[in-house]
Structures are given as structure tokens and as C-alpha cells.
Amino acid sequence: MLDTQKTINVGERELIKVAKRDNVTTVWDRYEAMQPQCGFGQTGLCCRFCWKGPCRIDPLGNGPKVGICGATADVIVARQLIRMQAAGAASHSEHGRHIALTLLEVGEGKAPSYRIKDEQKLLDVASMLDISTDNKDIVQVAKEVALKTLEDYSRQDAKHPCNWALKTLPEKRSNSLIRNDIMPHNIDATVAGVLARTHVGCDSDAENIILGGLKAAMADYTGMSLSTNLSDVLFGTPNPVVTKASLGVVKEDAVNIAVHGHNPLLSEIVCDMASEMNDKAISAGAPKGINIMGICCTGNEVMMRRGVPLATNYLSQELAIVTGALEAMVVDVQCIMPSIQKVGESYHTEIITTMPDNKITGATHVEFDEHTAKESAKKIINLAIDAYAKRDKSKINIPDQSVTAIAGFSAEAIVSALSKVDKKDPLKPLIDNIVNGNIQGIVLFAGCNSTQVTQDSGYVTIAKELAKKNVLLLATGCGAGALSKNGLMTQEATNEYAGEGLKAVLTAVGEAAGLNGPLPLVLHMGSCVDNSRAITVATAIANKLGVDLSDLPVVASAPEAMSEKAVAIASWAVALGFPTHIGTVPQIKGSKFVTEYLTQTTKDITGGYFIAETNQSNAAEKMFEAIQEKRKGLGI
Ligand code: BF8
Ligand code: SF4
């Protein structure tokens, strides 16, 4: 595999060479060692759900067409798919539960490291959840909001939808989800239900299984929606901020600490303590003090709220260590390659795990606890300062990259920018420009990187093509990472790549918002759980027009999807009615029924459907066609 096939990012390509020099194995080396990958696994036709198996279905030859228990290819494929959706939902919802429980502790005065940073947001959330705030102090409101949120994890009345799903979607969409039995009543019960129904000898109707998976995906939506909003309450609602992205953000003369993972509960406090302990790092010989940077979604969280630079996204996380100047990589949960410990050992980097249920053998574990968050953060920073002295100067290779990135586009920030154009009716300029065609539609880029795709190429290629066709671009997760570190979250990118209509709108709004130029070409909406921010915007537009989400010229794209969480997100995008592109080969191709159901049949049920397309230009074309179809439906 050529380095040019590994990533499009030039700085990262240099570091891949350095890794080779230093005898460090990276994700791409392990990918090559794994070839050829098993065709049964790739198509979803291998079942290991009981110890009579593994059972392999032979799709072409004369081999078995059913498993030992009699499960068909359709059932085997569908069951595995929905377990992925449930795992994604569990991951996002555990994150959400952690935030909700912390808010409860703040409401009960038990978490001194945290406070309510955005009181207005808390009041807005309370009102959305029908909690009266009259004559209540803000701490009491926090407690009630947390308790009402936690009902979504404990409700037993299957007829009562989750509060956070019901209240954040247009009524038409909620009703259709309820009608099709894909509206969850309880996140935990929905996830457990998927595990139960996919046990050997249970649900053996592929369609029924798929619908169960869409419900799990909606549980995922519920978990991320509450995560995003309650994180805003605790840590502030993001506003546009100018910062940097790419591995060029590592500083040779600073104690470099990367926060990696997903949960802002830890990274926020590390950032707070870093400013307090900066002088200590200077005294330890690092003239620039402490330099915090982010990786993956925790990186997106602190980038959005604090302007902390983003070092990189998923696939190149090991390369941050290969710079030879990273003192510590502090990780919490999700998307942390187990390999980083081994890479860290080749340099001086401390890998610090923090969560009791996410440890890495050999790494230093500093247990994080909401009650003693500051003490843990202090310990972590001290470890990093100590590591600075252990650097091997001959191993330092920091890419010479300085890429500006404008981030921080929460739904509130977008509405606020639009309100500078029309104070009374902020959504009007956006809707008017969609109607008049200056903006043809909206695409939300989300999801990961995968060894299946040259890193970041899917995002960058498709974004440029759709921008030319006047599609408004939003991004989250590693998609936001890709688009920021490759220079598309800048005003220059708008001038260079946006079609005339889109450029005119981004310029008008940017100028009105005092940016001295256009909004960036791609609006960074945050981490993966922040995908709910785009739904907030879409719901506001749908409600204003009196239509459903599925009527809007809005598409989703996950060109480099890899994780179970991404499967869950893409699936709820389909459940909400959006044509949803995936650019990696999903492990469902062994079942024609499942493939057709997800790419065609769901269109009649939810209005949404998957567009599976690995060719990036074709994908852009197909998404644009989907946008045109929706425009036609609206008569515009
Ligand atoms: O939650 S995009 S690789 S980092 S799963 Fe992971 Fe995928 Fe990145 Fe964020 Ni999302
Ligand atoms: Fe085989 Fe059925 Fe067991 Fe799966 S559940 S391993 S198909 S016997």
C-alpha cells in the first residue's frame, strides 16, 4: 500500500515515513497484514451467536444456505446488523447517562468541579421537557432536568416515547416513528431488547429484526440528543471560534497533552487545570507551558467550546505520538486504538486511561471520578510534565502545517448568525435561499475514518463537489476532523470552492455576523453525539414550513464510516427520513433482502434510505440527485 493510499494529509504522510524509520507499526501496517479479509465476515454471512456455530452461508456455491439452527442468510445478516446498532446506541447513551448523572450531582451539590455554565440553555431544556421553572433556583432546575432525562433510561410504560426523542423532533416525524414502532420508550430496554431478540432461536423474521434495529438507532439518537444538550448546560453552548487543526499543532517547546476519546467531563477539567498549572510546566523547562490538543470527538468537544486545536481524527491517532513530542495521551472512552500503548512505548509518551471500564494493558491508569475530577486532572498533568524531561530530541518530527479552522457552529450559533440578517425571523434567510435555489440543499457529513478508504479523501472530495453544486455543508465527528485539518473550514475555502449561490449566502451571513468575510465552507457542528445539533436545525426548518424531516432537501453522508456508533447514527438518519450515504462496504451484502430493505424499502416507511456508494464522485452525484428529488417534492 502506497503512503498516498493511506491518507491525503501531507503532514500525516511524512509521519507514516517516520513511523517506519522508528520501527513503529501503524494501523495501515496491520491492515495490510490482515489481507485478505474473510469474505464470509465481510458479507455478514458468518454467524457465531451460539456454540453450535460458527455457521457460514455459502452465497454462490452448493454449500449450506442456512445455519445449523435453520437461520437464513437474511436472518443472520439482519441480526448482526442490529447488534451493531444496539452497541452504537449503548455507547452514545452511556456517554449521555454519565453527563445526566453529573448534572444530577450538580443539582444535588455533590460535584464541586462542575457548574452550570449555560443557565439559559438549562432553562430552554427545562421548558422543552415541560418542567416548570417558576420560583425555582437554577440548581433545583438542573436536578429536575437530570431526573426527567434519566426517565428515558428507566421508563417501563412502552407506550410512552422517550422524552428526548419526542420533544426534539417534528410532531409528524414522532407520529410516524410511533406508528411504525420504531420510537423507543426506554434506551436501556431497547438495547437489551435487541440482545434478547437476536439470541439463538428468537426473532427469525428479517424485516421485523431490521425494524427492531431502527428502534435501537432511535435510542442512539435519544442518547446523543440528551448528551449534546446537557453538555452545553454544563460546559457552555459553542460559538464560532477560530483555531487550528492538523498535527502541526504539536509544539516543540511545550508540554503537549492530547485529550482523546469522547466525554467532555474529563477533557474540560484537564483544560481548566492546564491553565492553572502552566507555570509549573514552564519551570520544568518548557518555555511555552502546556499545550492541549484534541483527537477524535473529545477533540471536537473542546475545539467547539474552547478553541483547543484539533491534532487529528481516528485513523491517524497513532501519528500524534510519532511526532516524538507528545508527552501524554489522555483517553476516556471509544475509538481509542489499543495499539497506542505500544506506540507510546517507542517514544516517551504516557498513555493515561481514565475510565474504570476502558483500560489498556500497560497504560497508566488515573481513575476519573466526577467528585474528584480536579485532583485526577492534576495528577494527569503532572505525569505529562514529568514525561517532558524524558523526550528524545532526535525523535521529534512535527509536520510543518498550520491549518486554520473555524469551529463552534451549534444550532444556536447558526441561528444567531442568521439573526444578524433577519432579527425577527432568523430562519427566513436560510429558507428563502433554499427556496430560491442559492442553496440547493444541506448535507451533514458524519462518521469515521476506515482503512477501507484513503483517510479523509471521502470527505474532502465529496465536500468540494457538493459545494460547487451549492449544497450547504455541515460536519461532525471525524468528518469534521477531516474537513478541518485539510483546510475546508476556512473563509478561503468558501471563496475557492463554493458555487456562486452558496458563496453569496455564506458571505452575506458572515458579513452580517461581523466575520469580515464569508462563513467557512463547512460548518463544524461538533462531535458525533453532536449530530443531534443538525437535527435541531432541520426540525426548526421543518416546523416552520409545516413539513416532515423527510420532506427537506437534506442528506447525510458517512463516506468513511467504520464504527458501530456510525452504523447507529446512519440508521437513525434513515429512520428520520434522510437519504444517507455510506462510502465503505457494509457487512450486509450477503443478504439481498437486507440490502434492498435498507436501500429501497425504508423509503416507503420512513422516507429515508441508504445510498451505498464507494465511488466518491458518484456518491456526490447520487446525493445531489436525492436533494433534487426532495426539492421537487416540495415544489421548489
Ligand atoms: O464518535 S467518527 S471514529 S471518533 S465513531 Fe470514532 Fe467514528 Fe471518529 Fe467520534 Ni464517531
Ligand atoms: Fe449457527 Fe444458528 Fe448458532 Fe448462528 S445461531 S451459530 S446460525 S446455529
Side-chain angles (χ1 to χ4, degrees):
M1 195 179 193
L2 302 170
D3 287 352
T4 49
Q5 293 169 312
K6 294 175 183 167
T7 176
I8 59 166
N9 191 280
V10 180
E12 289 171 5
R13 281 185 194 158
E14 279 170 34
L15 285 167
I16 290 171
K17 287 197 183 74
V18 175
K20 250 179 237 151
R21 182 202 69 186
D22 292 349
N23 279 325
V24 169
T25 303
T26 66
V27 67
W28 292 282
D29 302 314
R30 295 187 297 274
Y31 170 72
E32 280 181 292
M34 198 58 69
Q35 300 310 310
Q37 285 170 277
C38 170
F40 292 99
Q42 276 176 327
T43 49
L45 286 174
C46 171
C47 181
R48 293 178 298 107
F49 280 13
C50 86
W51 286 357
K52 298 194 299 305
C55 297
R56 312 187 311 184
I57 304 299
D58 180 357
L60 304 169
N62 294 323
K65 297 293 176 218
V66 292
I68 297 171
C69 67
T72 61
D74 297 340
V75 167
I76 288 175
V77 168
R79 283 195 307 208
Q80 291 182 102
L81 171 70
I82 81 165
R83 281 207 177 177
M84 293 190 96
Q85 291 159 330
S91 304
H92 286 137
S93 306
E94 279 302 291
H95 174 159
R97 186 199 321 265
H98 206 160
I99 305 270
L101 286 172
T102 304
L103 184 66
L104 181 60
E105 302 229 303
V106 169
E108 290 174 341
K110 292 184 196 156
S113 303
Y114 301 92
R115 65 190 176 86
I116 297 150
K117 259 201 194 151
D118 191 339
E119 294 192 0
Q120 187 53 49
K121 179 103 188 203
L122 178 60
L123 295 173
D124 293 345
V125 168
S127 127
M128 183 196 74
L129 293 174
D130 299 327
I131 294 169
S132 141
T133 53
D134 298 346
N135 305 320
K136 287 179 192 160
D137 72 34
I138 201 75
V139 176
Q140 175 63 20
V141 177
K143 183 175 172 181
E144 290 183 26
V145 163
L147 288 172
K148 186 113 190 197
T149 297
L150 290 165
E151 285 174 11
D152 283 354
Y153 292 86
S154 60
R155 179 181 301 104
Q156 297 305 321
D157 176 3
K159 292 222 156 44
H160 189 303
C162 284
N163 295 323
W164 277 91
L166 188 67
K167 301 286 185 183
T168 54
L169 297 171
E171 211 179 316
K172 283 187 182 170
R173 182 54 24 178
S174 301
N175 289 341
S176 112
L177 292 167
I178 293 168
R179 211 172 38 246
N180 292 305
D181 194 22
I182 43 184
M183 178 66 114
H185 71 287
N186 170 329
I187 295 168
D188 289 348
T190 306
V191 170
V194 167
L195 291 179
R197 74 196 293 165
T198 50
H199 183 272
V200 58
C202 293
D203 203 349
S204 300
D205 179 77
E207 176 172 29
N208 205 40
I209 295 170
I210 294 171
L211 292 172
L214 289 181
K215 193 195 267 194
M218 282 308 302
D220 181 87
Y221 167 77
T222 309
M224 66 170 60
S225 175
L226 64 91
S227 267
T228 303
N229 286 290
L230 300 188
S231 294
D232 284 354
V233 169
L234 286 172
F235 305 119
T237 305
N239 274 310
V241 56
V242 183
T243 180
K244 299 262 180 227
S246 85
L247 282 165
V249 304
V250 177
K251 288 187 195 155
E252 179 148 10
D253 40 10
V255 171
N256 292 297
I257 302 176
V259 287
H260 176 13
H262 284 78
N263 200 326
L265 284 174
L266 169 74
S267 49
E268 280 285 330
I269 307 297
V270 171
C271 291
D272 282 346
M273 295 313 290
S275 351
E276 282 186 26
M277 295 171 73
N278 204 43
D279 288 346
K280 191 166 180 195
I282 297 172
S283 319
K288 290 247 169 75
I290 297 171
N291 179 34
I292 305 269
M293 69 202 72
I295 296 180
C296 284
C297 283
T298 228
N300 287 321
E301 297 269 354
V302 288
M303 185 190 206
M304 291 277 282
R305 293 202 178 89
R306 294 175 173 258
V308 168
L310 186 80
T312 196
N313 46 355
Y314 175 76
L315 211 58
S316 40
Q317 57 186 272
E318 296 162 304
L319 300 181
I321 304 172
V322 177
T323 60
L326 190 67
E327 275 56 58
M329 189 178 270
V330 189
V331 305
D332 49 58
V333 294
Q334 301 164 17
C335 304
I336 298 144
M337 289 189 197
S339 62
I340 55 170
Q341 174 57 25
K342 191 134 195 283
V343 181
E345 284 165 14
S346 297
Y347 299 88
H348 69 298
T349 312
E350 278 276 2
I351 307 299
I352 303 169
T353 56
T354 55
M355 295 293 163
D357 51 358
N358 280 252
K359 295 188 179 182
I360 301 174
T361 308
T364 305
H365 187 72
V366 177
E367 185 112 340
F368 168 79
D369 179 311
E370 298 76 70
H371 308 104
T372 54
K374 285 192 176 166
E375 286 71 34
S376 309
K378 242 190 223 167
K379 246 190 232 169
I380 288 168
I381 295 169
N382 276 326
L383 282 167
I385 295 176
D386 291 347
Y388 183 77
K390 297 180 204 151
R391 269 191 194 181
D392 176 348
K393 289 221 165 85
S394 70
K395 279 191 164 174
I396 296 178
N397 283 280
I398 302 167
D400 185 16
Q401 283 180 302
S402 175
V403 185
T404 297
I406 307 177
F409 290 92
S410 57
E412 290 84 344
I414 292 176
V415 170
S416 153
L418 289 167
S419 74
K420 303 287 174 355
V421 180
D422 189 332
K423 199 162 177 229
K424 273 209 211 106
D425 193 354
L427 287 179
K428 191 168 179 292
L430 178 60
I431 292 174
D432 284 352
N433 279 294
I434 293 175
V435 172
N436 72 20
N438 272 338
I439 293 177
Q440 290 290 312
I442 303 176
V443 60
L444 169 65
F445 288 107
C448 327
N449 301 131
S450 165
T451 37
Q452 281 192 31
V453 183
T454 303
Q455 187 188 9
D456 301 343
S457 67
Y459 296 104
V460 170
T461 308
I462 299 173
K464 284 182 185 169
E465 294 202 13
L466 289 178
K468 207 170 25 181
K469 293 178 189 287
N470 298 305
V471 176
L472 179 65
L473 315 173
L474 314 175
T476 60
C478 287
L483 295 161
S484 61
K485 71 192 166 93
N486 291 294
L488 294 191
M489 289 185 177
T490 57
Q491 297 181 309
E492 292 74 19
T494 306
N495 290 328
E496 192 170 348
Y497 300 112
E500 287 311 312
L502 179 64
K503 197 186 294 177
V505 179
L506 292 177
T507 305
V509 179
E511 294 280 0
L515 280 186
N516 252 339
L519 292 178
L521 183 68
V522 186
L523 304 184
H524 191 321
M525 292 196 96
S527 64
C528 280
V529 295
D530 291 341
N531 279 307
S532 57
R533 296 190 194 279
I535 304 308
T536 305
V537 175
T539 296
I541 297 174
N543 284 343
K544 192 166 161 54
L545 295 174
V547 301
D548 195 355
L549 293 176
S550 54
D551 298 319
L552 301 175
V554 174
V555 295
S557 176
E560 303 178 27
M562 161 286 300
S563 71
E564 290 167 317
K565 290 183 291 163
V567 176
I569 294 168
S571 303
W572 65 244
V574 168
L576 293 184
F578 302 116
T580 300
H581 163 245
I582 38 164
T584 44
V585 182
Q587 294 161 359
I588 62 166
K589 288 211 155 169
S591 165
K592 194 162 171 249
F593 177 83
V594 174
T595 308
E596 283 183 2
Y597 202 91
L598 293 172
T599 52
Q600 293 166 32
T601 315
T602 50
K603 196 170 179 181
D604 299 327
I605 302 170
T606 70
Y609 54 94
F610 277 101
I611 301 169
E613 179 56 70
T614 53
N615 179 295
Q616 293 160 0
S617 295
N618 292 351
E621 199 54 52
K622 285 182 183 173
M623 277 187 270
F624 192 68
E625 277 165 23
I627 284 172
Q628 295 311 314
E629 194 182 320
K630 299 277 183 180
R631 290 184 68 90
K632 220 188 245 165
L634 283 172
I636 55 176

